[in-house]
Amino acid sequence: MHEYSLIQSLVTRVEQEAVARRATAIHRLVVSIGELSGVDPELFQTAYDTFRSGTLCDRTPLELRQVAARWACPSCGREIPKGEVLTCARCELPARIAAGGDEILLETIEMEVP
Amino acid sequence: MCTTCGCGDPKLVPVDVHEKILAGNDRQAQHNREHFVEQGVLALNLMGSPGAGKTALLEATSRATERRWRLGAVSGDLATDNDARRLEAAGIPSRPITTGQGCHLDADLVHHALHGFPWTELDVFFIENVGNLVCPAIYDLGQAANVVALSVTEGEDKPLKYPVMFKAADLVVLTKCDLLPHLDVKVDRILDGLRRVMPKPNAIQVSARTGQGMAEWTGWLEERKARVPKRAAGAPAAHTHEHDHDHSRDHDHSHAHDHEHDHEHRHADGTVHRHGHAHGRDH
């Protein structure tokens, strides 16, 4: 259940930003979750709904953007379809994953400032 | 949301952060990594399912290297210190990290475990993670490499079922290979699965009981050890980099410290003081 520890990090980071900018309210959070980030979006949402009460995010909706894992050859750029061997058949190089496919990122905080 | 007439209405601003949610853990991991590199210690994060044979692999490593190397370990476990005691009995100085309900180790837990543990004397420092094929993969601990133990009894499709873990692996050690004659498991199918989730597939087959494959495993360790710059003889054990980190998770301060635990604290009011002490997590 590492989703809870991730939510704790997320809320702490948002609160830091809100305090630094003297925000009076936080209206929306946008988080992107890569397919290979090791995070289940539904569990993440549930953990957020549980954990946010009593924090500055108490009434803040969380928008999750799911990012597909896309692998491609770093040399010729050929995309490697899901489930295939992660080596470029032509260049014999290990495939590289596109940005975001294995990350959990806090993208945007929409806040109300005086 | 008036922004023009100066009436003082609040306004909505979107703040683009685009930052990893685990950025705090990554910073602590980088700090741990600097420690390990400065001391010339090869740090490895050993992961795998409960019962995959992580502890047995380390016990066998101690036998195979005939104590030529100084090995040490921290072992993450939910409730007992059994693994740490087994490793001690095998000649590997060890310390338990009991995580309670925590399903993984994070960089902060590892950093705390280093305090008071003679890790700077080691050649290879194993961080034996909590048995789990999911969560540990996403937490950087400051290791030089990730090793995933996968026992052949776990089934052929484990790599495809847990791609995040195997994608993070620098080496997969297939354990309990002495059992293969008694199983319907085909090693080739496991290796094929690994090629579909690991961009640089690398696996070796071992048995801690018979010693099969242990030479290949210690050869891999040797090769990784050679990549770690050795601390020059007579170089001070204290490290030189400055860093900010949080020792308690609830009390933010920045300080510089060395291995004698001399701390320089910078408080919120700007005052600084130095003192020497050993400290735990309540600091």
Side-chain angles (χ1 to χ4, degrees):
Chain A
M1 287 307 289
H2 58 303
E3 279 79 8
Y4 280 89
S5 80
L6 291 171
I7 292 295
Q8 194 168 10
S9 307
L10 168 68
V11 171
T12 304
R13 180 71 183 85
V14 171
E15 288 188 328
Q16 270 175 4
E17 199 69 35
V19 168
R21 292 168 187 269
R22 297 200 185 98
T24 52
I26 305 166
H27 281 249
R28 197 169 68 111
L29 298 180
V30 182
V31 168
S32 66
I33 294 184
E35 186 183 346
L36 289 180
S37 68
V39 171
D40 182 278
E42 270 184 48
L43 278 178
F44 193 80
Q45 185 69 56
T46 307
Y48 177 72
D49 292 343
T50 310
F51 190 84
R52 66 172 155 167
S53 70
T55 74
L56 287 182
C57 299
D58 207 342
R59 291 152 163 237
T60 311
L62 169 67
E63 181 183 321
L64 295 181
R65 291 184 185 159
Q66 298 186 37
V67 182
R70 298 167 81 91
W71 293 91
C73 173
S75 175
C76 72
R78 184 184 81 97
E79 192 155 323
I80 297 183
K82 194 175 173 153
E84 273 194 24
V85 171
L86 295 177
T87 306
C88 177
R90 202 179 328 158
C91 311
E92 294 179 353
L93 286 171
R96 194 180 289 158
I97 192 165
D102 58 354
E103 292 174 313
I104 322 149
L105 299 169
L106 167 59
E107 299 283 5
T108 310
I109 313 169
E110 211 171 85
M111 55 177 79
E112 201 171 300
V113 296
Chain B
M1 305 307 151
C2 173
T3 56
T4 49
C5 74
C7 67
D9 267 4
K11 58 183 175 183
L12 267 188
V13 290
V15 179
D16 287 325
V17 185
H18 197 70
E19 182 182 289
K20 285 185 184 184
I21 288 181
L22 284 173
N25 181 76
D26 290 354
R27 276 192 293 275
Q28 177 64 61
Q30 189 51 34
H31 167 66
N32 293 353
R33 188 167 285 117
E34 285 166 8
H35 272 303
F36 295 133
V37 170
E38 282 170 5
Q39 298 300 321
V41 175
L42 172 64
L44 298 171
N45 180 10
L46 177 58
M47 299 180 280
S49 309
K54 297 182 290 298
T55 311
L57 176 66
L58 297 187
E59 289 170 325
T61 308
S62 180
R63 289 195 295 274
T65 57
E66 295 169 329
R67 309 199 176 181
R68 275 177 288 122
W69 298 344
R70 291 164 301 176
L71 308 176
V74 289
S75 300
D77 226 326
L78 265 59
T80 74
D81 60 356
N82 291 355
D83 288 356
R85 285 195 280 120
R86 274 175 64 187
L87 293 175
E88 285 279 352
I92 304 177
S94 185
R95 161 170 296 205
I97 304 178
T98 308
T99 58
Q101 291 309 306
C103 50
H104 58 269
L105 295 179
D106 63 30
D108 207 25
L109 283 168
V110 170
H111 185 246
H112 281 284
L114 295 179
H115 285 271
F117 183 73
W119 65 274
T120 56
E121 312 300 320
L122 303 175
D123 295 312
V124 186
F125 177 62
F126 292 102
I127 304 163
E128 187 186 344
N129 221 309
V130 179
N132 182 339
L133 273 185
V134 185
C135 324
I138 69 170
Y139 290 85
D140 185 6
L141 305 177
Q143 71 280 354
N146 283 328
V147 177
V148 177
L150 172 64
S151 61
V152 292
T153 55
E154 288 175 66
E156 296 162 344
D157 56 356
K158 276 291 173 298
L160 298 177
K161 280 184 173 169
Y162 296 90
V164 177
M165 174 58 74
F166 292 96
K167 171 181 163 291
D170 294 289
L171 177 71
V172 174
V173 180
L174 293 177
T175 59
K176 309 188 191 181
C177 284
D178 56 304
L179 294 177
L180 281 170
H182 311 287
L183 305 170
D184 292 327
V185 170
K186 298 277 176 290
V187 168
D188 283 350
R189 290 198 197 135
I190 300 176
L191 298 177
D192 180 72
L194 289 175
R195 283 192 283 271
R196 293 166 200 276
V197 294
M198 285 173 84
K200 293 178 189 169
N202 191 11
I204 57 178
Q205 300 172 39
V206 308
S207 163
R209 283 181 71 186
T210 67
Q212 174 198 339
M214 290 309 290
E216 205 180 338
W217 160 239
T218 54
W220 184 86
L221 290 173
E222 186 81 71
E223 191 265 322
R224 294 302 302 217
K225 222 156 58 70
R227 290 195 214 172
V228 180
K230 228 30 228 172
R231 180 156 55 90
H239 72 261
T240 50
H241 63 269
E242 286 240 355
H243 48 84
D244 282 358
H245 63 185
D246 174 3
H247 270 241
S248 67
R249 300 178 183 222
D250 58 17
H251 168 62
D252 274 317
H253 61 203
S254 59
H255 65 213
H257 72 146
D258 62 28
H259 290 280
E260 281 74 51
H261 299 270
D262 260 321
H263 284 244
E264 182 176 310
H265 293 262
R266 190 165 293 108
H267 293 278
D269 61 4
T271 59
V272 172
H273 71 265
R274 283 189 73 84
H275 56 102
H277 66 179
H279 58 83
R281 306 203 59 178
D282 56 345
H283 177 64

